Amino acid sequence: MVTVTACTATFRRLAAVLLVLPAVGCAPRDYRPEPLEPARIAAGLAERRSNDGGLRAFMERHGASVSKWPLPRWDMTSLTPMAVYFHPDMEVARANLEVQRAAEITAGARPNPRGGPLLEHHTGPGTVDSPWSIGLGLDIPIEIGDKREARIARARQLSEEARLAIAETAWRVRSRLSQRFVEVYGAESAAALSKQELEFRQQEVTLLDRFQKAGEASSSEVSLSHLKFQEARLAADAADGDIRSAEAGLAQALGLPFDQVLALPIGFDRLSGDTLPSMPDAGLQQAALQNRLDLQGGLARYAAAEASLREEIAKQYPDLDLSPGLLWDQGDWVKSLGAMILLPILNRNEGPIAEAEAKRKLEAARFKSLEADVFAQLTESRVRFDAAVTRWQTAKSLIATQTDRLASIKKSIEHGELDRLSLVESEIELLAAKRSELDARIAAHRAWSALEDAVQKPLDQSASPPDGTGAAPAAAGEGRPP
């Protein structure tokens, strides 16, 4: 005879089992809030330094020579890993990769079984004292086909795209840095020319004022010289502002505080040279196919679309749910086994399959369009570069012509044939030629950078920017609470 007390004890044991089962796998994680504190983050950004130890280690890992630290001189080659290390865009790209890698865990997870008590109450007369039947039921889902493998393949491809996005972000950081680097050089060089012109305009004004007193210059000539002197003064005054503006842009490209950029000893040897590195005669298109990270990302997205289609096709075969049960019923143990399967009667997943096929076709079309854009960008960049180099060569020839003319005037003055004013005017004309040459030089270097962007590879055989996948969130003073 089974009593109510015995049934109650059995129920309690079953309930205890149900409570213990969820903890069998592993202890659950506790939630820990991490609130953002804008003031603390801002303080961390302001504390970044070019002599940061983490930056040194990062540069050393990527092959930079850091035996002397901080570096006595920074150029484009050494500033690039600094920008990759410090720039906030890199942290965003790395965080996105963490999200995608976590999605791989989600994709590979198997469905958990479900369990619960089974209770029955008998209203009719039974053979035992208790009208209750107590038991335990389980629901075990079983995936049929390779759905899980397809999900994992899709998640891995999206992780690969996120990894490539880090490297692409590093290249964009380098590209912006190159633009700002050239702007600082251009601003400083233009300021030097403006100051020289101001000095020569001052000499011109002094000479013409003296000539006017001697009756050898007209008032219109004197007034014009004074006007040009004022224009030169305004240009010289504005030049300092242009330098500061360019330096602020460089600070943004580096991810450093403005005052740190002002203290950096920067060298512009590559920009101040008379020539650009030799351009590869052929193979640029093949180099673009091999190096363009957006093309590689497009291939990863297409592979992810393939995996999605594979998963939807696998869903034509429905999953199976097994439902074993154990019930204490009127003095006897009753064992049961049920099975449930989705019956593909009304549809066989045609809609999701059609969507997945269309998305795969869309990714293929996007890749073809992207590849066409890459080739068009490469062609346009090459044409612009050739035109910029031709313009630069012409500007350099004008400087050579004006330099010869100035030398001739100086020689004539030595023989007393010309006056001092002609020499000053010739110096001003030479400065105008130098300014034209500077503009053409800047345009040529920008065109060179645009051509590198089209290939996403340095064309001067220097190292590509580090992809930043192994870098910690940029260094000193991120302001995280302890």
Side-chain angles (χ1 to χ4, degrees), residues 36-79:
L36 289 177
E37 300 182 32
R40 187 184 292 269
I41 293 174
L45 293 173
E47 291 172 6
R48 290 177 172 178
R49 296 292 182 265
S50 59
N51 61 353
D52 183 87
L55 171 61
R56 179 181 184 178
F58 178 73
M59 294 179 66
E60 192 170 22
R61 285 199 306 270
H62 289 87
S65 175
V66 291
S67 55
K68 294 182 179 180
W69 189 260
L71 296 182
R73 194 172 181 83
W74 295 82
D75 57 13
M76 185 63 195
T77 301
S78 54
L79 287 175

Short mmCIF file of all heavy atoms in Angstrom, two decimals, residues 36-79:
data_model
loop_
_atom_site.label_atom_id
_atom_site.label_comp_id
_atom_site.label_asym_id
_atom_site.label_seq_id
_atom_site.Cartn_x
_atom_site.Cartn_y
_atom_site.Cartn_z
N LEU A 36 29.32 53.69 -18.54
CA LEU A 36 30.26 54.61 -19.21
C LEU A 36 30.30 55.93 -18.44
O LEU A 36 29.27 56.46 -18.04
CB LEU A 36 29.82 54.87 -20.66
CG LEU A 36 29.98 53.70 -21.62
CD1 LEU A 36 29.44 54.09 -22.99
CD2 LEU A 36 31.43 53.27 -21.74
N GLU A 37 31.51 56.42 -18.28
CA GLU A 37 31.70 57.71 -17.61
C GLU A 37 32.41 58.64 -18.58
O GLU A 37 33.63 58.57 -18.73
CB GLU A 37 32.51 57.53 -16.33
CG GLU A 37 31.86 56.60 -15.32
CD GLU A 37 32.66 56.48 -14.04
OE1 GLU A 37 33.32 57.48 -13.68
OE2 GLU A 37 32.63 55.41 -13.43
N PRO A 38 31.66 59.49 -19.27
CA PRO A 38 32.26 60.36 -20.30
C PRO A 38 33.44 61.18 -19.78
O PRO A 38 34.45 61.34 -20.49
CB PRO A 38 31.10 61.25 -20.73
CG PRO A 38 29.88 60.42 -20.46
CD PRO A 38 30.20 59.64 -19.22
N ALA A 39 33.35 61.71 -18.56
CA ALA A 39 34.44 62.53 -18.04
C ALA A 39 35.71 61.71 -17.86
O ALA A 39 36.81 62.17 -18.17
CB ALA A 39 34.01 63.16 -16.71
N ARG A 40 35.54 60.48 -17.36
CA ARG A 40 36.72 59.63 -17.16
C ARG A 40 37.34 59.23 -18.50
O ARG A 40 38.56 59.18 -18.64
CB ARG A 40 36.31 58.38 -16.36
CG ARG A 40 37.49 57.51 -15.96
CD ARG A 40 36.98 56.24 -15.26
NE ARG A 40 36.39 56.56 -13.97
CZ ARG A 40 37.08 56.57 -12.84
NH1 ARG A 40 38.37 56.31 -12.85
NH2 ARG A 40 36.48 56.84 -11.70
N ILE A 41 36.48 58.93 -19.48
CA ILE A 41 37.00 58.58 -20.81
C ILE A 41 37.74 59.76 -21.42
O ILE A 41 38.83 59.61 -22.01
CB ILE A 41 35.85 58.13 -21.72
CG1 ILE A 41 35.26 56.81 -21.21
CG2 ILE A 41 36.32 57.97 -23.16
CD1 ILE A 41 34.02 56.36 -21.95
N ALA A 42 37.18 60.96 -21.29
CA ALA A 42 37.84 62.15 -21.82
C ALA A 42 39.19 62.37 -21.16
O ALA A 42 40.17 62.74 -21.82
CB ALA A 42 36.94 63.37 -21.62
N ALA A 43 39.25 62.13 -19.85
CA ALA A 43 40.53 62.28 -19.15
C ALA A 43 41.54 61.26 -19.65
O ALA A 43 42.73 61.58 -19.82
CB ALA A 43 40.31 62.11 -17.64
N GLY A 44 41.08 60.04 -19.93
CA GLY A 44 41.98 59.03 -20.46
C GLY A 44 42.52 59.39 -21.83
O GLY A 44 43.71 59.19 -22.12
N LEU A 45 41.66 59.93 -22.68
CA LEU A 45 42.11 60.36 -24.01
C LEU A 45 43.14 61.48 -23.90
O LEU A 45 44.11 61.53 -24.66
CB LEU A 45 40.92 60.82 -24.84
CG LEU A 45 39.90 59.75 -25.23
CD1 LEU A 45 38.69 60.38 -25.91
CD2 LEU A 45 40.53 58.71 -26.14
N ALA A 46 42.94 62.38 -22.96
CA ALA A 46 43.88 63.51 -22.80
C ALA A 46 45.21 63.06 -22.23
O ALA A 46 46.21 63.78 -22.37
CB ALA A 46 43.25 64.56 -21.88
N GLU A 47 45.27 61.88 -21.60
CA GLU A 47 46.51 61.40 -21.00
C GLU A 47 47.38 60.62 -21.96
O GLU A 47 48.47 60.18 -21.60
CB GLU A 47 46.18 60.52 -19.79
CG GLU A 47 45.59 61.30 -18.61
CD GLU A 47 45.11 60.37 -17.51
OE1 GLU A 47 45.33 59.14 -17.64
OE2 GLU A 47 44.51 60.86 -16.55
N ARG A 48 46.94 60.42 -23.17
CA ARG A 48 47.74 59.66 -24.13
C ARG A 48 49.03 60.41 -24.47
O ARG A 48 49.03 61.62 -24.65
CB ARG A 48 46.94 59.40 -25.41
CG ARG A 48 45.80 58.42 -25.21
CD ARG A 48 44.99 58.25 -26.47
NE ARG A 48 44.03 57.17 -26.33
CZ ARG A 48 43.17 56.81 -27.28
NH1 ARG A 48 43.15 57.47 -28.43
NH2 ARG A 48 42.33 55.83 -27.09
N ARG A 49 50.12 59.64 -24.58
CA ARG A 49 51.42 60.23 -24.82
C ARG A 49 52.15 59.48 -25.92
O ARG A 49 52.00 58.26 -26.07
CB ARG A 49 52.27 60.20 -23.53
CG ARG A 49 51.70 61.04 -22.38
CD ARG A 49 51.78 62.53 -22.72
NE ARG A 49 51.29 63.36 -21.63
CZ ARG A 49 50.05 63.82 -21.55
NH1 ARG A 49 49.15 63.48 -22.48
NH2 ARG A 49 49.68 64.60 -20.56
N SER A 50 52.96 60.21 -26.66
CA SER A 50 53.72 59.58 -27.74
C SER A 50 54.83 58.69 -27.22
O SER A 50 55.36 57.87 -27.97
CB SER A 50 54.31 60.66 -28.66
OG SER A 50 55.17 61.52 -27.92
N ASN A 51 55.21 58.83 -25.95
CA ASN A 51 56.25 57.98 -25.37
C ASN A 51 55.66 56.83 -24.56
O ASN A 51 56.32 56.25 -23.71
CB ASN A 51 57.18 58.81 -24.49
CG ASN A 51 56.45 59.47 -23.32
OD1 ASN A 51 55.22 59.41 -23.24
ND2 ASN A 51 57.20 60.08 -22.43
N ASP A 52 54.41 56.48 -24.82
CA ASP A 52 53.71 55.44 -24.09
C ASP A 52 54.44 54.10 -24.24
O ASP A 52 54.83 53.72 -25.35
CB ASP A 52 52.28 55.34 -24.60
CG ASP A 52 51.46 54.32 -23.84
OD1 ASP A 52 50.88 54.68 -22.81
OD2 ASP A 52 51.44 53.16 -24.27
N GLY A 53 54.60 53.40 -23.13
CA GLY A 53 55.27 52.11 -23.17
C GLY A 53 54.53 51.08 -23.99
O GLY A 53 55.14 50.24 -24.66
N GLY A 54 53.21 51.10 -23.93
CA GLY A 54 52.43 50.16 -24.72
C GLY A 54 52.62 50.40 -26.21
O GLY A 54 52.67 49.45 -27.01
N LEU A 55 52.74 51.67 -26.61
CA LEU A 55 52.99 51.99 -28.02
C LEU A 55 54.34 51.44 -28.45
O LEU A 55 54.47 50.88 -29.55
CB LEU A 55 52.94 53.51 -28.22
CG LEU A 55 53.38 54.02 -29.59
CD1 LEU A 55 52.49 53.46 -30.70
CD2 LEU A 55 53.37 55.55 -29.62
N ARG A 56 55.33 51.59 -27.58
CA ARG A 56 56.66 51.08 -27.93
C ARG A 56 56.62 49.57 -28.15
O ARG A 56 57.17 49.06 -29.13
CB ARG A 56 57.66 51.43 -26.82
CG ARG A 56 59.06 50.90 -27.09
CD ARG A 56 60.02 51.23 -25.97
NE ARG A 56 61.37 50.79 -26.30
CZ ARG A 56 62.42 50.99 -25.53
NH1 ARG A 56 62.28 51.63 -24.37
NH2 ARG A 56 63.62 50.55 -25.91
N ALA A 57 55.96 48.84 -27.24
CA ALA A 57 55.86 47.39 -27.38
C ALA A 57 55.10 47.02 -28.66
O ALA A 57 55.46 46.07 -29.36
CB ALA A 57 55.16 46.80 -26.16
N PHE A 58 54.03 47.78 -28.96
CA PHE A 58 53.25 47.51 -30.16
C PHE A 58 54.09 47.72 -31.42
O PHE A 58 54.07 46.89 -32.34
CB PHE A 58 52.03 48.45 -30.18
CG PHE A 58 51.17 48.32 -31.40
CD1 PHE A 58 50.36 47.22 -31.57
CD2 PHE A 58 51.16 49.31 -32.37
CE1 PHE A 58 49.55 47.10 -32.70
CE2 PHE A 58 50.37 49.20 -33.49
CZ PHE A 58 49.56 48.09 -33.66
N MET A 59 54.86 48.80 -31.45
CA MET A 59 55.70 49.07 -32.62
C MET A 59 56.81 48.03 -32.75
O MET A 59 57.14 47.60 -33.86
CB MET A 59 56.29 50.48 -32.52
CG MET A 59 55.25 51.58 -32.62
SD MET A 59 55.94 53.25 -32.48
CE MET A 59 56.94 53.34 -33.98
N GLU A 60 57.35 47.60 -31.62
CA GLU A 60 58.41 46.59 -31.67
C GLU A 60 57.88 45.27 -32.19
O GLU A 60 58.55 44.57 -32.95
CB GLU A 60 59.01 46.43 -30.27
CG GLU A 60 60.30 45.64 -30.24
CD GLU A 60 60.99 45.70 -28.89
OE1 GLU A 60 60.30 45.98 -27.89
OE2 GLU A 60 62.21 45.48 -28.83
N ARG A 61 56.65 44.92 -31.78
CA ARG A 61 56.05 43.67 -32.28
C ARG A 61 55.85 43.70 -33.78
O ARG A 61 55.81 42.65 -34.42
CB ARG A 61 54.69 43.43 -31.60
CG ARG A 61 54.79 42.95 -30.18
CD ARG A 61 53.48 42.29 -29.73
NE ARG A 61 52.32 43.14 -29.93
CZ ARG A 61 51.87 43.99 -29.03
NH1 ARG A 61 52.50 44.14 -27.88
NH2 ARG A 61 50.78 44.72 -29.27
N HIS A 62 55.70 44.89 -34.33
CA HIS A 62 55.45 45.00 -35.77
C HIS A 62 56.70 45.44 -36.53
O HIS A 62 56.62 46.00 -37.63
CB HIS A 62 54.31 45.98 -36.03
CG HIS A 62 52.97 45.43 -35.62
ND1 HIS A 62 52.48 45.55 -34.34
CD2 HIS A 62 52.03 44.71 -36.31
CE1 HIS A 62 51.30 44.97 -34.27
NE2 HIS A 62 51.01 44.45 -35.43
N GLY A 63 57.87 45.18 -35.94
CA GLY A 63 59.12 45.33 -36.68
C GLY A 63 59.74 46.71 -36.69
O GLY A 63 60.72 46.93 -37.41
N ALA A 64 59.21 47.67 -35.94
CA ALA A 64 59.79 49.01 -35.92
C ALA A 64 61.02 49.04 -35.03
O ALA A 64 61.11 48.32 -34.03
CB ALA A 64 58.76 50.03 -35.44
N SER A 65 61.98 49.88 -35.39
CA SER A 65 63.19 50.06 -34.58
C SER A 65 62.90 51.08 -33.49
O SER A 65 62.68 52.26 -33.78
CB SER A 65 64.35 50.52 -35.47
OG SER A 65 65.49 50.79 -34.69
N VAL A 66 62.91 50.62 -32.24
CA VAL A 66 62.60 51.50 -31.11
C VAL A 66 63.71 51.46 -30.07
O VAL A 66 63.47 51.60 -28.87
CB VAL A 66 61.24 51.12 -30.48
CG1 VAL A 66 60.09 51.43 -31.41
CG2 VAL A 66 61.22 49.63 -30.10
N SER A 67 64.95 51.23 -30.53
CA SER A 67 66.07 51.19 -29.58
C SER A 67 66.22 52.52 -28.86
O SER A 67 66.61 52.57 -27.70
CB SER A 67 67.36 50.82 -30.32
OG SER A 67 67.60 51.73 -31.39
N LYS A 68 65.95 53.62 -29.55
CA LYS A 68 65.91 54.94 -28.92
C LYS A 68 64.46 55.32 -28.69
O LYS A 68 63.68 55.41 -29.65
CB LYS A 68 66.60 55.98 -29.81
CG LYS A 68 68.09 55.75 -29.98
CD LYS A 68 68.71 56.85 -30.84
CE LYS A 68 70.21 56.63 -31.00
NZ LYS A 68 70.83 57.69 -31.83
N TRP A 69 64.10 55.52 -27.43
CA TRP A 69 62.70 55.82 -27.12
C TRP A 69 62.61 56.94 -26.10
O TRP A 69 63.33 56.89 -25.10
CB TRP A 69 62.00 54.58 -26.59
CG TRP A 69 60.52 54.75 -26.45
CD1 TRP A 69 59.82 55.01 -25.31
CD2 TRP A 69 59.56 54.69 -27.50
NE1 TRP A 69 58.48 55.11 -25.59
CE2 TRP A 69 58.28 54.92 -26.93
CE3 TRP A 69 59.65 54.48 -28.88
CZ2 TRP A 69 57.12 54.93 -27.68
CZ3 TRP A 69 58.49 54.49 -29.61
CH2 TRP A 69 57.24 54.71 -29.03
N PRO A 70 61.75 57.93 -26.34
CA PRO A 70 60.91 58.08 -27.54
C PRO A 70 61.76 58.36 -28.77
O PRO A 70 62.91 58.78 -28.66
CB PRO A 70 60.02 59.28 -27.18
CG PRO A 70 60.80 60.03 -26.17
CD PRO A 70 61.56 59.02 -25.37
N LEU A 71 61.19 58.11 -29.92
CA LEU A 71 61.93 58.29 -31.16
C LEU A 71 62.39 59.74 -31.30
O LEU A 71 61.62 60.67 -31.04
CB LEU A 71 61.06 57.91 -32.37
CG LEU A 71 60.61 56.45 -32.46
CD1 LEU A 71 59.81 56.22 -33.74
CD2 LEU A 71 61.81 55.51 -32.41
N PRO A 72 63.63 59.95 -31.73
CA PRO A 72 64.11 61.31 -31.89
C PRO A 72 63.46 62.04 -33.07
O PRO A 72 63.49 63.28 -33.13
CB PRO A 72 65.62 61.13 -32.13
CG PRO A 72 65.75 59.74 -32.68
CD PRO A 72 64.66 58.94 -32.02
N ARG A 73 62.87 61.27 -33.99
CA ARG A 73 62.24 61.87 -35.17
C ARG A 73 61.16 60.93 -35.67
O ARG A 73 61.35 59.72 -35.76
CB ARG A 73 63.29 62.12 -36.26
CG ARG A 73 62.83 63.03 -37.39
CD ARG A 73 64.03 63.35 -38.28
NE ARG A 73 63.70 64.23 -39.38
CZ ARG A 73 63.63 65.55 -39.30
NH1 ARG A 73 63.86 66.14 -38.15
NH2 ARG A 73 63.37 66.29 -40.35
N TRP A 74 60.00 61.52 -35.98
CA TRP A 74 58.87 60.74 -36.46
C TRP A 74 58.58 61.08 -37.91
O TRP A 74 58.51 62.26 -38.28
CB TRP A 74 57.62 61.03 -35.62
CG TRP A 74 57.73 60.61 -34.19
CD1 TRP A 74 58.33 61.30 -33.18
CD2 TRP A 74 57.24 59.40 -33.62
NE1 TRP A 74 58.24 60.60 -32.00
CE2 TRP A 74 57.57 59.43 -32.25
CE3 TRP A 74 56.55 58.31 -34.12
CZ2 TRP A 74 57.24 58.40 -31.37
CZ3 TRP A 74 56.21 57.28 -33.25
CH2 TRP A 74 56.56 57.33 -31.89
N ASP A 75 58.43 60.04 -38.73
CA ASP A 75 58.02 60.25 -40.12
C ASP A 75 56.77 59.44 -40.40
O ASP A 75 56.17 58.87 -39.48
CB ASP A 75 59.16 59.89 -41.09
CG ASP A 75 59.62 58.45 -40.91
OD1 ASP A 75 58.93 57.66 -40.22
OD2 ASP A 75 60.68 58.10 -41.45
N MET A 76 56.37 59.38 -41.66
CA MET A 76 55.14 58.70 -42.00
C MET A 76 55.20 57.21 -41.62
O MET A 76 54.22 56.63 -41.16
CB MET A 76 54.87 58.86 -43.50
CG MET A 76 53.55 58.29 -43.97
SD MET A 76 52.13 59.10 -43.22
CE MET A 76 50.85 57.92 -43.63
N THR A 77 56.38 56.61 -41.79
CA THR A 77 56.53 55.18 -41.48
C THR A 77 56.33 54.90 -40.01
O THR A 77 55.67 53.91 -39.63
CB THR A 77 57.91 54.69 -41.94
OG1 THR A 77 58.05 54.91 -43.34
CG2 THR A 77 58.08 53.21 -41.64
N SER A 78 56.87 55.74 -39.14
CA SER A 78 56.75 55.51 -37.69
C SER A 78 55.44 56.04 -37.12
O SER A 78 54.94 55.53 -36.12
CB SER A 78 57.94 56.14 -36.96
OG SER A 78 58.07 57.52 -37.29
N LEU A 79 54.87 57.05 -37.77
CA LEU A 79 53.59 57.58 -37.28
C LEU A 79 52.44 56.63 -37.57
O LEU A 79 51.43 56.63 -36.85
CB LEU A 79 53.30 58.94 -37.92
CG LEU A 79 54.13 60.13 -37.43
CD1 LEU A 79 53.81 61.36 -38.26
CD2 LEU A 79 53.87 60.40 -35.95
#
